[in-house]
Amino acid sequence: MKISFYLKRPKSLDDTTIHTRISYKVAVLKYYIPESINPKFWNGETQRAKHSKDFREYPEFNARIDSIESTIKSVFRRYLNENQNEPPHPEDFKVLLDKEIKQIEPVKDKLYTFFNYYMDLIERTKNGKRLKPKDAKRFSKDTIQIYENTYNRLIQFQKTRSRTIDFSTIDLDFYYDFLQYLTEDLDLSTNTIGKDIKTLKTILNDATERGFNTNLAFKSKKFITPTEESDSIYLNEKELLEMSNLDLSNNSQLENVRYAFLVGCWTGLRYSDFSQLTLDHIKGDYIKIKTQKTNKWLTIPVHVELIKLLKDHDGAFPKPIRNDQINISLKEIGNLIDCLQANEFISITKGGVKIEKCFKKWELLTSHTARRSFATNQYLSGARPLSIMAITGHQTEKSFNVYLKLDGKDHARIMRDGWMDGSEQALNHLV
């Protein structure tokens, strides 16, 4: 963090106010402090008052500036400690500084109920006034949709259970009741429930930081966000080959969807990235692209299969397609492929009960299957996990391992191949 102090009107003949420029990570906040000074007594280099006999109070004045700087750092550190090391949005940071430095409490509309605040947050998110704290970028449409889904379920919960929901009523009793409603009444899966609880905490954290909520029951260790590792599939290279060889010449839409999916399978990119690829992203033998979700640059080697795909499509990448349309069309394509008629048993917790359901493999195809297929196939081919992670953009092995869809036979084959390689090396050494 860098904190600098400047005069509002440095050429003024009278006293002028002072503002501070606070730079941290990717955010910058211009904040006016409750101090003013005549520019002739200001030292622009030290950003403090000059030691002048004509301004005898300079020691006290500079001490107040020092104190404000210290308070800014303290508020920032406290926010990081309370928010998993995530920096505050400038708008939220200003509210916190107003409270600490100017003793100004946030203005609260007497009609600003929990649901009023929730809708306001959705609107701020939609119009870009509320941005991601990590990179100050706008939230995705998918995130906004999750916010709206949770809002609707909370409204329905309030109506069904005849229970008033407001900031003051969201406690552990509410939590357990809402959890039961999502589990038993709506029969939702554990991860869908987890999204609702995570979203609820997001709203409450935002309201707390901005001074609209003082009830901290949601920070209890018992107010947990349920989650479970979901079963999902990947397509091995043989299955990808069958998909590639499928004749879709009479259906241009399915052909475009297949092409887009296969591009994802050979690049490891998310839908939001592989759907935006152009030839400009190819630099020699590599693809260089800045991901939408993490805002990180990735360098991906151009796979030989990707080169074949480009040649088959006159050197052009697929036309952009909506994610929901990809997911629908992929199942239509998968149903035409013989090897994807195999049964897949998926375990999921729904309605609080662990159940196992049988699906045809094609029924489980989604755009995200491409990314899982890339990670798993590259791992099985012998690529090092760290190298794959550098391409997929995963930050931790834990998050990466979720993408490896290996069964017992896969692990056994990897170990067997390792033994065989070792045996061959040993024999060569003996010879």
Side-chain angles (χ1 to χ4, degrees):
M1 170 187 279
K2 182 179 180 181
I3 302 172
S4 305
F5 294 90
Y6 301 97
L7 302 184
K8 182 178 182 180
R9 295 189 301 274
K11 295 182 180 181
S12 173
L13 298 178
D14 301 313
D15 285 4
T16 183
T17 52
I18 300 172
H19 72 265
T20 178
R21 188 178 188 275
I22 309 168
S23 305
Y24 58 96
K25 296 213 172 174
V26 296
V28 177
L29 171 63
K30 182 179 181 180
Y31 182 75
Y32 282 91
I33 64 174
E35 295 291 342
S36 60
I37 190 174
N38 192 302
K40 67 182 179 182
F41 299 130
W42 181 256
N43 185 328
E45 292 186 6
T46 64
Q47 299 179 7
R48 296 293 189 273
K50 296 176 181 177
H51 295 198
S52 171
K53 62 180 181 180
D54 295 325
F55 187 57
R56 296 183 181 279
E57 59 184 272
Y58 74 82
E60 294 82 4
F61 180 90
N62 287 342
R64 291 197 299 272
I65 299 292
D66 290 341
S67 177
I68 288 172
E69 182 172 1
S70 178
T71 299
I72 292 171
K73 292 178 179 178
S74 177
V75 169
F76 186 78
R77 283 195 300 270
R78 185 166 67 241
Y79 185 95
L80 293 179
N81 291 336
E82 294 175 354
N83 292 274
Q84 291 77 50
N85 215 36
E86 293 290 340
H89 184 275
E91 189 178 339
D92 298 329
F93 197 12
K94 180 181 181 301
V95 172
L96 297 174
L97 293 178
D98 280 345
K99 187 174 181 180
E100 290 288 331
I101 295 173
K102 301 177 183 177
Q103 306 302 306
I104 297 176
E105 292 292 335
V107 177
K108 301 178 185 178
D109 188 331
K110 61 182 179 181
L111 298 178
Y112 224 159
T113 64
F114 168 76
F115 286 112
N116 291 148
Y117 191 89
Y118 199 144
M119 284 306 299
D120 178 71
L121 181 139
I122 290 176
E123 288 305 312
R124 286 189 287 120
T125 306
K126 285 181 177 179
N127 61 32
K129 289 185 178 180
R130 176 175 175 267
L131 302 173
K132 295 179 182 178
K134 280 187 176 180
D135 53 19
K137 287 187 174 291
R138 296 180 74 142
F139 288 88
S140 68
K141 291 181 180 179
D142 288 343
T143 298
I144 294 170
Q145 184 63 61
I146 290 171
Y147 289 172
E148 292 175 340
N149 291 343
T150 302
Y151 178 90
N152 292 332
R153 279 195 273 270
L154 284 165
I155 288 288
Q156 192 60 38
F157 168 69
Q158 179 176 245
K159 180 180 178 181
T160 302
R161 296 294 175 93
S162 300
R163 180 168 191 154
T164 302
I165 300 177
D166 212 338
F167 290 119
S168 62
T169 67
I170 300 178
D171 53 17
L172 285 176
D173 286 337
F174 159 86
Y175 170 75
Y176 292 127
D177 199 12
F178 186 46
L179 214 59
Q180 184 182 46
Y181 170 75
L182 298 173
T183 302
E184 298 180 5
D185 293 31
L186 300 189
D187 195 32
L188 298 179
S189 68
T190 296
N191 287 337
T192 300
I193 293 171
K195 285 183 181 179
D196 282 338
I197 300 301
K198 181 181 178 181
T199 301
L200 175 60
K201 287 183 174 183
T202 295
I203 308 304
L204 294 172
N205 269 316
D206 192 87
T208 302
E209 292 158 12
R210 298 167 69 84
F212 291 95
N213 174 53
T214 57
N215 178 11
L216 302 182
F218 73 98
K219 290 185 177 290
S220 167
K221 291 181 179 179
K222 296 181 180 179
F223 210 110
I224 62 172
T225 301
T227 183
E228 70 175 349
E229 184 176 333
S230 59
D231 288 340
S232 50
I233 64 166
Y234 83 99
L235 300 189
N236 60 39
E237 294 191 359
K238 179 184 177 183
E239 291 165 333
L240 291 177
L241 181 61
E242 285 206 33
M243 180 179 283
S244 297
N245 292 335
L246 187 66
D247 184 7
L248 296 175
S249 57
N250 294 326
N251 193 320
S252 59
Q253 178 178 311
L254 292 186
E255 162 58 28
N256 193 55
V257 168
R258 172 178 63 180
Y259 183 20
F261 177 77
L262 291 174
V263 167
C265 290
W266 297 115
T267 61
L269 291 169
R270 296 180 180 87
Y271 158 79
S272 58
D273 297 316
F274 74 66
S275 63
Q276 304 298 321
L277 274 177
T278 68
L279 291 178
D280 291 337
H281 289 106
I282 297 181
K283 310 295 181 183
D285 295 331
Y286 301 92
I287 294 172
K288 295 203 71 174
I289 186 170
K290 197 172 193 179
T291 61
Q292 291 192 25
K293 182 174 181 178
T294 64
N295 202 37
K296 303 286 187 183
W297 282 101
L298 295 181
T299 301
I300 304 167
V302 178
H303 198 283
V304 63
E305 293 297 331
L306 181 61
I307 295 174
K308 291 179 183 177
L309 287 169
L310 284 167
K311 286 182 178 178
D312 290 342
H313 293 84
D314 300 322
F317 277 105
K319 298 174 183 177
I321 322 158
R322 293 199 327 269
N323 194 26
D324 58 345
Q325 185 58 57
I326 281 189
N327 291 335
I328 293 170
S329 296
L330 271 177
K331 292 173 177 58
E332 189 176 346
I333 294 169
N335 194 23
L336 301 174
I337 302 173
D338 290 340
C339 64
L340 298 186
Q341 303 299 324
N343 291 331
E344 290 283 336
F345 290 90
I346 299 298
S347 179
I348 187 172
T349 301
K350 200 169 185 183
V353 178
K354 194 84 168 179
I355 59 174
E356 191 175 72
K357 294 185 69 175
C358 180
F359 296 90
K360 296 295 183 183
K361 192 167 187 177
W362 62 264
E363 293 180 285
L364 301 172
L365 285 173
T366 70
S367 62
H368 219 57
T369 306
R371 188 163 158 84
R372 294 192 194 97
S373 299
F374 175 86
T376 306
N377 286 325
Q378 298 312 307
Y379 182 81
L380 289 172
S381 69
R384 295 180 178 181
L386 285 178
S387 297
I388 305 173
M389 288 169 61
I391 293 173
T392 59
H394 285 100
Q395 299 297 310
T396 65
E397 285 195 40
K398 181 179 180 181
S399 62
F400 170 71
N401 287 337
V402 173
Y403 280 76
L404 294 182
K405 298 303 171 184
L406 306 177
D407 57 24
K409 186 177 180 180
D410 290 326
H411 286 294
R413 183 173 66 79
I414 291 170
M415 183 173 288
R416 182 202 63 190
D417 290 347
W419 289 346
M420 290 178 68
D421 289 344
S423 297
E424 289 175 3
Q425 290 176 10
L427 287 171
N428 291 336
H429 180 72
L430 288 173
V431 174

